[in-house]
Amino acid sequence: MALSDFAILDPRFRRLVVASATVRRLFTGCAWAEGPAYVPAYRLLIWSDTPNDRMLAYNEREGSVTLFREPAGYSNGNCLDREGRLITCQHGFRSVTRTEHDGSVITLADRLGDKRFNSPNDVVCKSDGTIWFSDPTYGIDSDYEGHKAPSEIAASWLFRLDMDGTIEAVVTDFVQPNGLAFPPDERLLYVADTGASHIVDGPRHIRRFVVGDDNQLTDDGIFATCSNGVFDGFRLDSAGRIWASAADGVHCYDPDGTLLGKILVPERVANVCFGGPKRNVLYICATTSLYAITLPVNGAN
């Protein structure tokens, strides 16, 4: 990929990409590629192919892709906890699960009180062991990404799961909460709202929250609004810059809110994560395919 294939909107973006770097397509054949999570111990990139109800794994050493799990409960978002276990949002079971080191899968949460979640979508783990996840309705809207069903909560909220099993709805005014991520110091939380998928002129932005010592959130307003499509999943690098999915590729934002530039991808991007031994490979889940590009920056998580 030549430098002209990047959209450089701010001079600062030039040092975040390399002209000789290429966006490489590693795999294709998905219906909707989502939820990448990097497992450094095995140098694996695990991701979801939600409508096909399977999870796939890319082996960095071999350059090969294998089936990780099928059926997969219509999995979507994935991340690792502080012990290296895979945390997965499952649309099909309307749950958040954990894959133990022996391969067994346990359910961490599937309801608030006596009401089932809608379809947990994306998830991040904080260093204190808490698990934060979004719960939009995409997995119950139809049978495409899960099982069509009514919402028992009758709303779409952001949740925190504490280590003692307590579940708290921490933000309740989203239309469709989606991707979320912490910066390296975990003093902020960024959360996407993709409500434009359900409401004309609905939200297509990332909101920012200040995280208190007690894990309570204070709304800090809209951080950025997507200029092409909607923000779905995103990750931060070690300098706190946001690398967010969009319809035309990956949009990179400075912590000050400036759109610095874009990595142009030929398919609509759903989610990203950093991987590789140095955390400088950006893996990109985009509609039917998994892509990767090596960058001169390092991922935060």
Side-chain angles (χ1 to χ4, degrees):
M1 176 175 277
L3 192 58
S4 60
D5 292 320
F6 296 98
I8 298 174
L9 306 177
D10 184 288
R12 290 173 287 179
F13 191 62
R14 291 184 179 275
R15 60 185 176 84
L16 308 182
V17 295
V18 176
S20 61
T22 59
V23 173
R24 312 180 301 277
R25 189 166 74 174
L26 306 177
F27 180 83
T28 192
C30 296
W32 182 242
E34 250 285 13
Y38 184 72
V39 186
Y42 299 100
R43 291 191 62 184
L44 289 179
L45 189 283
I46 296 171
W47 81 98
S48 300
D49 181 6
T50 307
N52 285 328
D53 195 15
R54 63 178 180 170
M55 298 172 73
L56 301 165
Y58 172 72
N59 186 312
E60 281 185 334
R61 292 188 178 93
E62 300 174 359
S64 61
V65 173
T66 56
L67 184 67
F68 179 77
R69 180 178 294 153
E70 186 183 32
Y74 290 94
S75 66
N76 194 291
N78 297 278
C79 71
L80 296 188
D81 70 7
R82 60 182 183 174
E83 296 183 31
R85 297 170 297 190
L86 185 69
I87 307 298
T88 300
C89 291
Q90 294 184 321
H91 283 183
F93 296 117
R94 301 165 73 163
S95 65
V96 179
T97 66
R98 184 175 69 211
T99 301
E100 302 296 316
H101 292 303
D102 64 5
S104 60
V105 180
I106 65 170
T107 298
L108 299 177
D110 63 1
R111 65 193 66 229
L112 180 67
D114 61 352
K115 298 182 185 298
R116 299 180 68 191
F117 296 134
N118 299 316
S119 52
N121 185 273
D122 208 349
V123 59
V124 292
C125 294
K126 196 164 175 270
S127 61
D128 62 3
T130 55
I131 297 171
W132 304 64
F133 62 95
S134 57
D135 186 40
T137 61
Y138 296 116
I140 59 173
D141 286 338
S142 72
D143 290 321
Y144 187 71
E145 292 188 30
H147 307 296
K148 186 176 182 179
S151 172
E152 296 182 15
I153 296 175
S156 295
W157 295 341
L158 178 72
F159 290 97
R160 187 191 70 244
L161 172 62
D162 293 337
M163 294 188 68
D164 64 2
T166 301
I167 300 170
E168 181 178 344
V170 289
V171 185
T172 59
D173 63 348
F174 287 104
V175 178
Q176 293 286 354
N178 207 308
L180 64 163
F182 291 100
D185 64 9
E186 299 181 332
R187 295 183 182 276
L188 298 170
L189 176 64
Y190 296 88
V191 186
D193 192 335
T194 51
S197 63
H198 283 63
I199 298 176
V200 176
D201 295 325
R204 53 180 74 243
H205 53 234
I206 293 173
R207 294 169 62 182
R208 183 168 60 188
F209 299 87
V210 177
V211 183
D213 293 339
D214 57 357
N215 275 334
Q216 296 302 305
L217 302 181
T218 302
D219 194 344
D220 195 39
I222 295 173
F223 171 73
T225 298
C226 191
S227 60
N228 195 323
V230 297
F231 297 124
D232 193 334
F234 55 93
R235 289 292 182 267
L236 279 73
D237 65 25
S238 59
R241 292 176 290 253
I242 293 89
W243 299 77
S245 62
D248 58 347
V250 180
H251 294 192
C252 178
Y253 284 85
D254 191 80
D256 67 12
T258 303
L259 176 57
L260 301 176
K262 305 177 183 181
I263 299 172
L264 303 178
V265 179
E267 299 184 78
R268 177 184 170 191
V269 177
N271 214 328
V272 301
C273 82
F274 286 94
K278 297 180 179 179
R279 288 278 183 176
N280 65 339
V281 177
L282 185 67
Y283 286 103
I284 303 167
C285 285
T287 312
T288 68
S289 306
L290 175 69
Y291 296 87
I293 183 170
T294 303
L295 299 172
V297 302
N298 307 94
N301 47 31

